[in-house]
Each structure stands twice: as structure tokens, then as C-alpha cells.
Amino acid sequence: MKQHWRPSLAMALSFGFGGMTMVALAIVIWLSFDTAKDNTFALTQEVTEISFGSIRSHIDNNLTAAARQVTYMADLVEQGLLDPRDEKAITQTIKGALAATPQVRGMTLMRTDGSSIQAGWLDDTSFFSRNKKGDNEYRFAALLQELRNADGIYWGGIIWIEEVKEPHISVFHPVYKDDVYIGAMGAIISISSLSEYLNKLDKETGNHTYLLMDRNKVLAHPSLIDMSRSGLTADNPLPTLNQVIDGNLRKIWDEPLFEFSEVLGKGEIKGHAVDSFAGELTFLHTSFSDYGFNDLTLGIYFMEGELEGYYERLWFTGVLALVIALITVVTIFLAGKFIARPLQRLSHASQQVGQLDLAHAERLPGSMFRELDTAANAYNSMLSGLKWFENYVPKKLVKQLMDTDGEGIASEEREITVMFTDIVGFTALSESMPARELAGLLNHHFDLLGAKIEAEDGTIDKYIGDSIMAFWGAPSIQEDHAQRACRAALAIEKTLQEDNKVRQKQGLEPIHIRIGIHSGLAVAGNIGAKGRVNYTLIGDTVNTAQRLESLGKEVLNESTQTAKTLISSTTWNHINKETDMSTEHKGNFSLRGQGNKTEAYELTNSAKNTES
């Protein structure tokens, strides 16, 4: 067939898109000056909405994270994973929870008998805990009675903590044991941490941000970061506007010079200007009710002259757009011959992501072309999100979900093997370490164990304090699930030995752990509320593995293994013919909550035993 002449991509971009871009930019420039007033108002609205949205998002994240912690602790008690009478276990779990939510200063378990367990940080290095018995003051008893009727999270408002002489926001959750109300779990959120965020935001944006309660009391403000000289007391836990250091903020409710209703429209954000000795002050604010407070006011104020930059940038944008219009035509002409290369790079990168080869997938560089630059930015954002996503969801689980065309994985009963690990003496170790060092130790420890579990194609279900729960045999069928779990345990033994040598050179105490492994039937699948589920296991097999790990405290207390591993007879039946594994019968034991006795074996490395 006769070949017809076809224009090159560079020519099409230069004369086609270049001409259209020039015309479009000219129209945009004309419209921008013709609608200068509307653009200015829209810009002001955009700035306020972004600022207010960012602040609300941070406040929500801080407070809801604390609410999730008390809910999680209450669930542990209700599920029997945390004994409400075990002061050490409660204190240690609280310490782990505080490490994950630094804005939470402390937590408490209040019991209906009038006693309570309290723990928290006095400062960055001082952790305290105490067990108060018979503390039946009226407010304590009344709060517990009110929480009895609470449906989940209950916000308790502002409370004064005498130990640190600071006000805090309180949140509670009722605690039930075997459907019997036994008390409540509570947490306190530092107001100074909210104020510290506002101060950080002000430094980045040049704004002046505040949060008021009942229009007159200051709930968060940069001046509340350090309360050592605030003069606040339990009777007066929050400063009023007349007490706050910021003289400009005191004038927020003065007679306004004018309102900003025309600029801000009829939305939730309001604004007005007042006169002050420093010149005109512009206040933007919004009111809402949440977290147990009936009247909160979130706002930003500007001093005279601070808003002029927005109007100057509007004119600068118009001039810059004209320059860009001229440069764009020349740039498109020169970039035409290079357009294929970024498209090929994007295609190759997309194939890697499609195969979940995120380890080798690289970020795409930006492009001078708007569409390609948008595609590159979208790809980079997607890649960053997937890499974070990969930390929380196993890759093989994602691949199986992809194969289901979005229909998900159905819950089904599987024969699986479950592993639980726990650090020996972690309570004593953590009490002597600051929170930051403790978090670093746990992260390093989980990296070591996680690598060996994943090397045997295991799935890490969750981290519970210093413990790991992992399983084999789901979501993919693994006929040798018990062998894989045991090989992972022996590999953990070796890697901890090597790590302890490094710790010894650093003058640190060695880390020893207990491991419990059990094989059996369990329901594996998506468990949770609609829109927020976890792929996890349900069944007595999980409980048995965890209780085998706990049994190791008594049965393997004289074991010389770095990873003291106790397996059930069910698991032993799967691996008893493995030549690289050695087992020693430890007897039959009655596990908590189970009628029948469980036969247990210690698992060790055969090569090690032969050498010894």
C-alpha cells in the first residue's frame, strides 16, 4: 500500500498543541484580569480552607488516635488478652501504646471497686506507674457510673493533671469482662502538643493560629507550649483571653470594623476586622462542636499588611502567565523529539507496578510537559502509597486480591500453623529505657524476626506490644506450613544469636525470646467492618499458639536457647521426620481456657545439638 505522508509528533505538538496552548493561555490571561475581584476572593477562600482543613485534620488525628488506643486496650481486656488485675501487664501495654501516640501523656484503668492503675510520662524521660486502691471519691464513682451507659468512646472534657501541672483532654471507653462491666480505660491528650503543632504551622505559613473553647478560654495556642509559668490551676485549668500573652488575640471579639461575608461567602468560615494599637487585625474563624466540647472556635488572624502579598501575587501571576505562554511554544517545539522517551519510561514503570515489583520500581522524573508531568507525579504518588501499603499488607495477599478482580478473598476454614513470639523480661527492660530508645529497639527486633518469617513465606498478622503473631497456610495453601513455621523459628534463633554478639560489644544486655507454635484449623479471611477489614485468623488454634508461648515461661525456664521454642504435638506430627530439626518432649499441660491437655515439645536446631 502507498505510504502517505504523516506529520511527526514534534511537528504536531509545535504547530497543533503549541498554537492551541497559546490561544488558551491568552484567553486565561484575559479572563484572569477581567475577573480580578473574583479571583482574589477565591484565593482568600482557598487559603483559609486549606489552612483550616490542615489544622482540623491534625487535631482529628491526634484525638482520634488517643480514642483508638483506649478502644484497643478495652478490647484486649474483653478478649481475654490482657488481665485487668495484672498491674505489670497493664502498665507495660500502656507504655507501648504511649510510644505509638506521643501526644497521649498517660492512660489509666479505672475499676468499679474503686481501684485504678495509672501510668504515663512526667516528661520525655520519666515514666511513672501506680496502683491506687479503694479510691472511691465522688467524681471517680460518678464518672464510672456515667461510663456504664456510654456507647463506646466517651469524651470527658478538660482535666487537670497535678503531677505535671497541666490541663489535658480526656477520653474514656467502658471495659467489660465476660459481658460484666468492670470499669473504664482512659487516656489524656496533652494540650501542649496541640499548641506545639499550631506554633509549627505558624512558622511555616506566617499565620497566627488559635483554638478557643466557649469563645473565651484558650484551648490551644503557641503560648501554651510551656505552661511552667502560666499560673494555671485545677480550678482554672485554661487561660481566658484576658490571661493569654498574645495581646492581638484578646481583641478577637471587639467591635468589628467590617465583616468578610462577601469574600468568604456563606460557608462555615467567618471573618471580620478589628482595630488595634498595632493596626488593623483580620480574624478568620469557624465554630464546631466535637470531642465533648459544645463550642469550639478554630481561627487564624493576620496583622495589617500580611494579606497584601496575596494581591501582589495575583498581578505577578498574570505577568508570569504571559511569559510562560511565549516560553511554552518554544519549549513544545524543542521537546517534541524527546516526548517518546518519557512515555517509554512510564510504560516500563507501569509494568513493574502491575507485577508488584516495587523494590526495583523507580520514581519518574518530572517533565516540562503538563500531561507527562501530571502522569509522572500521579505515578510517583501511587508508588509511594503502594510502598507504604506493602508495609501493612503482604505482597502475596495483594496479588491474590488482584486475581479476584476486586471481589476479595472469601473467609474459609484452613489448616494453618500459627506462631507467637515474646521478648523475655521485656517489662523490666522497657522500664529502664526512654520511649524513643524503646521504640528503636522494638523496630530493630521486628525487622530481624520479620525477615526470617517472610523468608519462609509467612504472613505477619499483627504486632502486640513486643510480640509478633504470624501464620502459614493462608492466604495461599502451603502443604508444609508447619515445617515453614519451625524453620522460621530456628532461623530466628540464629539471627538473634548474631545480633546479641553485636549488642554484647556495645555493652547491651542480650535479647532472648519465647516462641509458641501450633497447627490446626482456623477461619482465615477478611474480618472487620465494611470498608475497614483485616485479613486475619479466628479460632482456638490462635489461642493455643499464644498460650504455648506463655507456657514457655515455666517449661523452658532452664533452656539455653536464645529463642526458646515450644511446639504442640500437632505441629510435631508434621515435622518429626525432619532431619534438621530436633525436639524434646516436655509433657502434657492444661492450657488456660481449654479442657483437654496439650502435649508440648521443645524445638531446637539439630546441627547445634550435634555439635554440643
Side-chain angles (χ1 to χ4, degrees):
M1 296 181 60
K2 184 178 179 180
Q3 293 291 332
H4 297 283
W5 178 84
R6 291 174 294 178
S8 65
L9 185 59
M11 183 178 297
L13 289 171
S14 301
F15 295 99
F17 296 119
M20 288 187 291
T21 301
M22 188 65 181
V23 173
L25 284 174
I27 295 174
V28 170
I29 293 172
W30 178 78
L31 289 175
S32 65
F33 285 100
D34 187 58
T35 59
K37 179 181 178 180
D38 293 338
N39 288 343
T40 302
F41 289 173
L43 181 61
T44 303
Q45 289 180 354
E46 182 180 355
V47 171
T48 55
E49 289 174 359
I50 292 175
S51 299
F52 279 73
S54 175
I55 299 169
R56 278 299 306 272
S57 176
H58 180 85
I59 294 175
D60 290 342
N61 289 339
N62 270 263
L63 299 183
T64 56
R68 287 194 295 267
Q69 288 289 20
V70 295
T71 301
Y72 170 71
M73 295 281 286
D75 288 343
L76 289 181
V77 174
E78 185 172 351
Q79 296 171 11
L81 300 176
L82 188 62
D83 188 351
R85 298 166 298 179
D86 190 338
E87 178 183 355
K88 288 186 177 180
I90 294 291
T91 301
Q92 187 54 44
T93 306
I94 289 177
K95 192 170 187 180
L98 298 185
T101 51
Q103 70 272 24
V104 179
R105 177 65 66 87
M107 298 181 72
T108 180
L109 172 62
M110 304 181 299
R111 294 186 284 255
T112 53
D113 62 0
S115 63
S116 65
I117 299 176
Q118 304 172 0
W121 292 99
L122 297 175
D123 51 43
D124 290 341
T125 59
S126 301
F127 185 83
F128 81 95
S129 64
R130 61 190 177 190
N131 189 352
K132 301 179 68 175
K133 302 181 182 297
D135 187 10
N136 268 317
E137 62 179 8
Y138 173 76
R139 182 183 178 187
F140 185 80
L143 177 61
L144 281 176
Q145 182 61 34
E146 190 169 357
L147 288 169
R148 179 190 295 271
N149 301 320
D151 184 14
I153 290 298
Y154 176 89
W155 293 94
I158 298 297
I159 62 173
W160 177 265
I161 304 301
E162 186 63 31
E163 287 82 356
V164 296
K165 298 189 180 302
E166 290 185 17
H168 294 72
I169 300 173
S170 61
V171 60
F172 302 91
H173 193 289
V175 177
Y176 291 86
K177 180 67 176 176
D178 298 328
D179 296 329
V180 177
Y181 177 65
I182 64 171
M185 183 65 64
I188 54 173
I189 304 97
S190 170
I191 287 179
S192 62
S193 68
L194 294 178
S195 300
E196 188 172 0
Y197 167 73
L198 298 188
N199 183 59
K200 179 181 178 182
L201 182 66
D202 288 351
K203 291 181 178 179
E204 294 176 352
T205 62
N207 300 334
H208 309 277
T209 314
Y210 55 87
L211 181 62
L212 305 180
M213 183 179 72
D214 299 330
R215 292 173 61 91
N216 187 47
K217 294 183 179 180
V218 183
L219 184 59
H221 185 271
S223 63
L224 299 183
I225 296 176
D226 182 7
M227 300 186 183
S228 58
R229 300 181 181 179
S230 63
L232 300 176
T233 64
D235 296 329
N236 182 33
L238 292 177
T240 63
L241 286 173
N242 292 331
Q243 294 173 321
V244 74
I245 298 175
D246 190 343
N248 292 326
L249 182 58
R250 298 177 187 176
K251 296 183 174 294
I252 181 174
W253 306 125
D254 286 0
E255 184 69 25
L257 297 175
F258 55 88
E259 304 284 347
F260 286 102
S261 56
E262 183 180 1
V263 178
L264 298 175
K266 299 181 180 180
E268 296 180 355
I269 300 176
K270 307 298 180 182
H272 63 272
V274 300
D275 193 17
S276 74
F277 65 89
E280 186 178 293
L281 294 174
T282 300
F283 289 93
L284 304 175
H285 51 84
T286 182
S287 299
F288 60 97
S289 299
D290 211 344
Y291 307 109
F293 301 109
N294 294 325
D295 188 3
L296 293 177
T297 301
L298 176 64
I300 302 171
Y301 76 79
F302 303 91
M303 301 178 65
E304 185 172 344
E306 290 181 341
L307 286 176
E308 293 178 358
Y310 295 130
Y311 301 95
E312 293 175 357
R313 284 195 291 271
L314 178 65
W315 287 94
F316 174 76
T317 300
V319 176
L320 182 62
L322 180 60
V323 176
I324 292 176
L326 299 175
I327 295 176
T328 299
V329 176
V330 177
T331 301
I332 290 177
F333 177 78
L334 297 176
K337 60 182 179 180
F338 301 108
I339 197 69
R341 184 176 180 183
L343 287 174
Q344 291 172 349
R345 188 186 297 117
L346 177 61
S347 176
H348 177 68
S350 299
Q351 289 178 347
Q352 289 180 316
V353 171
Q355 298 170 358
L356 292 183
D357 186 13
L358 303 183
H360 299 93
E362 298 180 355
R363 294 175 60 87
L364 296 178
S367 172
M368 66 182 70
F369 303 107
R370 183 174 57 190
E371 288 81 3
L372 291 178
D373 191 59
T374 300
N377 290 335
Y379 169 83
N380 292 336
S381 298
M382 177 184 66
L383 181 61
S384 299
L386 286 174
K387 286 186 176 180
W388 276 109
F389 183 72
E390 189 179 32
N391 290 331
Y392 295 95
V393 180
K395 183 185 296 184
K396 60 184 179 182
L397 177 58
V398 176
K399 287 184 176 180
Q400 190 162 346
L401 285 169
M402 292 169 62
D403 293 338
T404 63
D405 294 328
E407 296 180 0
I409 297 178
S411 299
E412 61 179 337
E413 191 173 49
R414 289 276 190 90
E415 183 175 359
I416 50 87
T417 297
V418 182
M419 169 191 288
F420 271 88
T421 74
D422 190 50
I423 298 178
V424 177
F426 181 74
T427 300
L429 179 65
S430 61
E431 290 175 349
S432 63
M433 297 179 66
R436 192 180 302 275
E437 293 183 15
L438 180 62
L441 169 65
L442 286 177
N443 287 335
H444 175 68
H445 178 72
F446 291 151
D447 282 341
L448 295 177
L449 272 61
K452 300 307 175 183
I453 292 172
E454 292 177 355
E456 292 294 339
D457 291 329
T459 299
I460 296 178
D461 184 278
K462 61 177 67 71
Y463 301 98
I464 309 172
D466 60 317
S467 303
I468 293 178
M469 173 187 168
F471 58 86
W472 285 259
S476 299
I477 297 177
Q478 296 168 323
E479 299 295 340
D480 58 343
H481 50 85
Q483 290 87 337
R484 290 174 181 267
C486 292
R487 284 198 299 267
L490 296 177
I492 289 172
E493 159 76 15
K494 293 181 180 179
T495 195
L496 284 181
Q497 287 180 352
E498 295 173 358
D499 188 61
N500 282 339
K501 293 178 181 178
V502 177
R503 292 180 59 84
Q504 186 177 7
K505 292 179 181 179
Q506 297 174 347
L508 301 174
E509 292 293 326
I511 298 296
H512 293 78
I513 69 170
R514 291 185 301 272
I515 299 177
I517 299 176
H518 177 58
S519 303
L521 295 176
V523 176
N526 294 326
I527 306 300
K530 183 178 181 180
R532 181 65 176 90
V533 298
N534 288 328
Y535 185 83
T536 188
L537 303 179
I538 295 178
D540 191 59
T541 298
V542 179
N543 298 330
T544 301
Q546 193 275 332
R547 287 161 186 165
L548 279 172
E549 176 271 312
S550 299
L551 181 64
K553 296 179 183 179
E554 307 171 6
V555 178
L556 303 180
N557 59 336
E558 297 181 357
S559 174
T560 60
Q561 297 291 305
T562 306
K564 310 174 191 299
T565 304
L566 203 61
I567 67 174
S568 67
S569 59
T570 309
T571 303
W572 181 85
N573 289 333
H574 287 279
I575 62 101
N576 61 358
K577 296 182 180 179
E578 299 292 328
T579 59
D580 58 342
M581 303 178 188
S582 179
T583 58
E584 180 181 349
H585 186 261
K586 291 298 181 179
N588 297 325
F589 304 92
S590 296
L591 301 182
R592 179 169 55 87
Q594 296 184 356
N596 298 326
K597 289 189 175 182
T598 299
E599 190 175 3
Y601 296 79
E602 181 182 9
L603 174 68
T604 57
N605 191 300
S606 295
K608 179 177 179 180
N609 290 348
T610 303
E611 293 174 1
S612 62

